[in-house]
């Protein structure tokens, strides 16, 4: 572990990142530095600003305050080169679903400068690993959510990126695939890649993350390894920790009220 | 991937793209995928309805023959007496009108597409390249469209006026397309830059209506540039002609190969036709980064839409809908009509056209007669032109950008789909048609006085019956809002032309009754329509 840490370099740095939509602040100054080879569990309640942060880092969002650096360069003036080293699985699972995996992977690979032959061959091999080589020429529109998710994961990794943004990547995956994917994450991190992992499934985040960053109301509410956070807060699981840190205790009362409204005549 | 013919043609233009700062291989890559996807816009089959699988083909290419047919009707214009200036301006006026209509209604959604933001923007491709891919994508279709429209005329020109005319004609077709794309982009850019949030979304639709009206009026300017009768035409120069693109084309051809009007003014007009498209293209490319960045604003679903159902709408829903279920769907359809951005992009241009056409025809009659004569005439029959928006809107009614939500129809315990259809049709009628009709009626009442009130009532009752007739041809058994817009046809649709003719028949019947039975004829006709209306609705909309 120590050896890796001395070798690692800063991959991602946010300096007092702010953002507001029509006067309403979403990010209220986020400072974060991430070194290579880490899996960052990026968590927070709905609307805390997680997606906005990722959108800014990917260049999908203009008009933010503060600085965001990727691979040491300010992304405001970095051009497009830095995007070559990023892989992204969006939460919305946007994909050109009229295409087949073969075509889609050749396309996304090509966008990162991969040659057609290379992208096709690599894509096919990766599909094989997920047991999906038989649907290599079937349109994505006929795929189940999990199958589509696997294609998205493959397309995000095809160009061997150094930094990965995974937004709820397990959605739709069956238990066996989840097991494989978690192992893949660990291996990717061990080979020096940085993974920015956003999810609401706390026990997965708890298990795979080297470091957990909790965003609440546009600010970082907690930052550290799971063990460190546990010591600070004396709670058993990440889920309980999450509730505590976001100041949420009324779940039992809400659930009771909810059902009573449902059953109201 | 399969090699695409269009791309091979575009390969010749590579140096031009590179000079404009476009990463050509990347642009070609994106374009190739977009073109492949265009050939696969098959409707998604919902539930039990199965459909025979169609061959991969481009929906737009299928609609081209309608344009070719219209192109054939342009041939006589090329054989009119007079000089090149007159003939060519006239033909290009119609072509520009068709191109702009298609650009605004069919391709605005391509230009303002935000769906693939997370696919394309996360890739290391410069926005300038993405914008170029988008522009070229639209240009390919516009060139095909103008080709279909213009080729008959061009071929006649080749036979009659020689190869130089032919080449100039084709060149000008290309310029017309460039002008159309660049102008529209530029106007949208201004709107995107000036507005934010919900205001922006509303403004875009207003701009569409405004543009439709502007091109319809603009076409009249082409005609106004020439005075006189069919035997003796004179062209009188005026400053506003500098802003009418079809006249540029006409002037360019006239100045180069014509004989009658080789004036300096003509040279200036013709030169504009060459210079403006190129300038617009360069400007378009120069602002491409800010355009693409501004589009991101559209993707943000912030701000609360005003979802309060207004008092007026509640009142109409109670007046028009027979039962609770129908009222529910009326309300549902009204909200979607008001909220779905793509739906609005495709439908609002026709509202502008429906609104302005009656006035244009009235203005044209005014040029031959005085106000006094006009108000005694039967110009109010032009009110029937506002019916033309009904088929265009209904043709889009089965499409939605949230078509996947249509599972609710099947999952919910709904007895029959009748209420769903009638509720949606009534929503279209009251939310889209009625406002246009009312404004038009008020204007016509001012012009023609109260005596035409029964006639306007007849138009309204006809519109209600016409809605049912159109729904029969336009919805094709599909549930409202249940099919992806990817499968939507382009505006040049044969069914629409057929339905226009039916609207014409209604107008003719009305006119016939008015003249054969003056006085009581029209009120009786209204009474018949009033009785027939509910029967048609009951029979025509019933579903199992």
């Amino acid at each position: 572990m120590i050896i890796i840490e001395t070798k690692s370099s800063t991959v991602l740095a946010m300096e007092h990142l702010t953002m507001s939509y029509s006067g309403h602040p979403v990010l209220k100054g986020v400072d974060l530095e991430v070194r290579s080879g880490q899996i960052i569990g990026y968590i927070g309640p709905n609307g805390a600003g997680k997606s906005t942060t990722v959108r800014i880092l990917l260049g999908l969002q203009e008009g933010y305050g503060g600085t965001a650096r990727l691979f040491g360069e300010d992304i405001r003036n970095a051009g497009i080169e830095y995007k070559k080293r990023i892989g992204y699985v969006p939460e919305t699972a946007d994909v050109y679903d009229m295409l087949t995996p073969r075509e889609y992977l050749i396309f996304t690979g090509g966008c990162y400068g991969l040659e057609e032959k290379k992208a096709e061959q690599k894509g096919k091999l990766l599909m094989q690993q997920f047991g999906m080589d038989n649907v290599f020429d079937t349109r994505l529109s006929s795929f189940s959510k999990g199958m589509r998710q696997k294609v998205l994961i493959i397309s995000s990794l095809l160009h061997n990126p150094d930094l990965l943004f995974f937004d709820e990547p397990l959605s739709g995956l069956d238990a066996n695939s989840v097991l494989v994917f978690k192992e893949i994450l660990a291996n990717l991190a061990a080979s020096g890649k940085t993974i920015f992992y956003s999810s609401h499934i706390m026990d997965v985040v708890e298990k795979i993350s080297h470091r957990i960053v909790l965003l609440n109301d546009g600010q970082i509410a907690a930052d550290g390894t799971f063990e460190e956070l546990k010591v600070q807060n004396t709670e058993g699981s990440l889920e309980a920790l999450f509730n505590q840190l976001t100041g949420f205790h009324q779940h039992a009362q809400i659930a009771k009220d909810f059902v009573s409204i449902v059953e109201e005549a | 991937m399969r090699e695409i013919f269009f791309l091979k043609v575009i390969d010749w233009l590579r140096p031009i793209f590179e000079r404009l700062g476009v990463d050509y291989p990347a642009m070609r890559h994106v374009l190739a995928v977009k073109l492949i996807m265009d050939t696969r816009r098959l409707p998604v089959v919902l539930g039990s309805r199965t459909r025979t699988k169609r061959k991969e083909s481009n929906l737009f290419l299928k609609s081209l023959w309608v344009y070719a047919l219209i192109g054939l009707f342009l041939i006589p214009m090329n054989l009119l007496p007079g000089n090149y200036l007159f003939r060519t301006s006239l033909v290009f006026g119609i072509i520009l009108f068709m191109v702009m209509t298609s650009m605004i209604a069919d391709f605005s959604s391509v230009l303002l597409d935000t769906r693939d933001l997370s696919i394309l923007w996360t890739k290391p491709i410069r926005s300038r390249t993405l914008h170029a891919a988008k522009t070229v994508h639209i240009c390919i279709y516009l060139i095909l469209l103008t080709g279909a429209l213009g080729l008959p005329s061009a071929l006649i020109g080749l036979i009659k006026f020689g190869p130089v005319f032919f080449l100039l004609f084709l060149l000008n077709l290309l310029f017309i397309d460039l002008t159309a794309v660049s102008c529209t982009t530029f106007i949208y850019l201004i709107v995107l830059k000036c507005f934010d949030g919900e205001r922006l979304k509303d403004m875009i639709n207003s701009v569409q209506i405004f543009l439709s009206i502007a091109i319809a009026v603009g076409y009249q300017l082409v005609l106004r540039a020439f005075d006189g009768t069919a035997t003796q035409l004179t062209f009188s120069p005026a400053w506003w002609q500098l802003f009418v693109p079809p006249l540029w084309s006409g002037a360019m051809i006239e100045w180069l190969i014509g004989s009658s009007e080789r004036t300096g003014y003509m040279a200036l007009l013709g030169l504009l036709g060459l210079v403006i498209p190129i300038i617009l293209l360069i400007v378009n490319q120069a602002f491409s980064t800010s355009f693409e960045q501004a589009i991101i604003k559209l993707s943000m679903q912030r701000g609360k839409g005003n979802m309060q159902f207004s008092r007026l709408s509640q009142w109409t829903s109670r007046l028009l809908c027979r039962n609770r279920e129908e009222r529910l769907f009326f309300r549902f359809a009204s909200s979607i009509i008001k909220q779905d951005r793509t739906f609005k992009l495709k439908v609002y241009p026709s509202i502008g056209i429906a609104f302005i056409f009656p006035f244009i025809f009235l203005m044209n009659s005014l040029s031959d007669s005085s106000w006094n004569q006009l108000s005694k005439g039967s110009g109010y029959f032009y009110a029937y032109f506002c019916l033309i928006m009904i088929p265009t809107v209904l043709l889009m009614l089965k499409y939605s950008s949230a078509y996947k939500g249509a599972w609710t129809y099947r999952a919910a315990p709904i007895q029959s789909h009748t209420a769903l259809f009638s509720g949606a049709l009534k929503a279209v009628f009251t939310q889209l048609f009625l406002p246009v009709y009312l404004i038009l009626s008020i204007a016509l009442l001012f012009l023609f006085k109260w005596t035409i009130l029964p006639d306007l009532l007849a138009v309204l009752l006809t519109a209600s019956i016409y809605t049912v007739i159109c729904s029969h041809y336009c919805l094709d058994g599909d549930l409202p809002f249940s099919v992806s817009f990817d499968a939507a046809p382009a505006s040049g649709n044969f069914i629409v032309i057929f339905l226009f003719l039916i609207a014409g028949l209604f107008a003719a019947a009305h006119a016939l009754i008015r003249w054969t039975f003056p006085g009581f004829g029209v009120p009786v006709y209204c009474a018949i329509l009033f009785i027939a209306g509910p029967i048609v609705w009951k029979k025509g909309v019933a579903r199992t």
Side-chain angles (χ1 to χ4, degrees), chain A residues 146-214:
Chain A
M147 286 160 81
R148 210 182 272 226
Q149 198 70 21
K150 286 179 196 169
V151 175
L152 274 165
I153 290 169
I154 293 172
S155 90
S156 74
L157 288 165
L158 213 53
H159 55 289
N160 192 20
D162 298 316
L163 175 60
L164 285 151
F165 290 98
F166 286 142
D167 200 343
E168 216 62 80
L170 298 180
S171 110
L173 259 60
D174 62 63
N176 295 337
S177 308
V178 168
L179 212 61
V180 175
F181 184 65
K182 284 200 272 191
E183 211 54 46
I184 291 174
L185 289 180
N187 284 317
L188 286 171
S191 67
K193 299 194 190 307
T194 310
I195 298 165
F196 217 75
Y197 188 98
S198 305
S199 177
H200 293 296
I201 310 169
M202 289 302 128
D203 31 340
V204 176
V205 176
E206 180 185 322
K207 290 206 183 78
I208 62 163
S209 308
H210 299 141
R211 174 178 169 195
I212 290 165
V213 176
L214 193 149

Side-chain angles (χ1 to χ4, degrees), chain B residues 42-51 54 394-400 403 406 409-410 417 420-422 424-425 471-484 487-489 541 543:
Chain B
L42 288 175
V44 176
V45 179
L46 177 89
S48 57
R49 273 182 61 85
T50 45
R51 213 187 297 238
R54 288 179 220 162
L394 290 186
L395 208 59
M396 287 298 148
L397 193 64
K398 64 175 162 183
Y399 303 105
S400 168
Y403 65 98
Y409 301 145
R410 305 271 172 200
H417 286 126
L420 171 53
F421 277 98
S422 61
L425 289 181
S471 77
H472 189 73
Y473 292 98
C474 294
L475 277 161
D476 198 23
D478 285 305
L479 296 172
F481 316 116
S482 68
V483 184
S484 163
V541 190
R543 301 292 142 111

Side-chain angles (χ1 to χ4, degrees), chain B residues 65-79:
Chain B
W65 69 270
V66 177
Y67 287 105
L69 204 67
I70 300 170
L72 286 178
F73 284 108
L74 294 183
I75 290 179
M77 282 196 185
N78 291 283
L79 305 172

Side-chain angles (χ1 to χ4, degrees), chain A residues 21 24 26 52 55 58-62 80-81 83-84 88 90 92 94-100 103-104 106-108 110-112 116 139 148, chain B residues 1 29-30 33-34 36-37 39-42 53 56 115-127 293 296 299-300 302-303 403-404 486:
Chain A
Y21 294 110
H24 173 75
V26 183
T52 307
R55 279 171 67 98
L58 286 163
L60 286 168
Q61 184 74 61
E62 295 281 311
I80 51 161
E81 284 304 307
K83 289 189 185 177
K84 285 192 176 158
Y88 176 48
T92 43
D94 289 326
V95 60
Y96 287 141
D97 60 6
M98 293 86 137
L99 300 180
T100 65
E103 289 162 339
Y104 188 71
I106 289 173
F107 170 67
T108 48
C111 287
Y112 290 104
E116 191 174 321
R139 291 210 198 147
R148 210 182 272 226
Chain B
M1 270 181 241
H29 196 65
V30 173
V33 155
K34 296 252 170 187
I36 287 182
M37 288 195 290
T39 65
R40 296 196 186 155
R41 303 205 180 280
L42 288 175
K53 201 181 167 201
E56 272 188 18
R115 286 176 305 171
D116 51 10
L117 218 61
S118 71
I119 301 176
L120 289 179
W121 266 77
T122 51
K123 305 287 182 290
I125 303 174
R126 243 179 254 125
S127 43
Q293 263 157 13
I296 294 181
S299 75
M300 285 187 279
R302 293 257 159 187
Y403 65 98
K404 281 179 181 159
D486 290 333

Side-chain angles (χ1 to χ4, degrees), chain B residues 205-256:
Chain B
N205 292 119
S206 312
V207 164
Q208 280 193 299
I209 296 178
F210 168 77
L211 270 177
S212 311
I213 292 176
I215 53 178
V217 173
Y219 180 62
Q220 300 305 306
L221 291 179
V222 179
L223 299 174
R224 289 295 142 83
F226 303 94
D227 316 312
T229 57
T231 47
Q232 193 62 48
L233 274 163
T234 48
F235 177 74
S236 36
W239 61 270
W240 51 263
Q241 289 158 356
L242 297 176
F243 299 93
V244 187
L247 292 176
W248 302 342
S249 307
M252 192 196 295
I253 292 178
E254 178 67 42
W255 193 78
L256 286 171

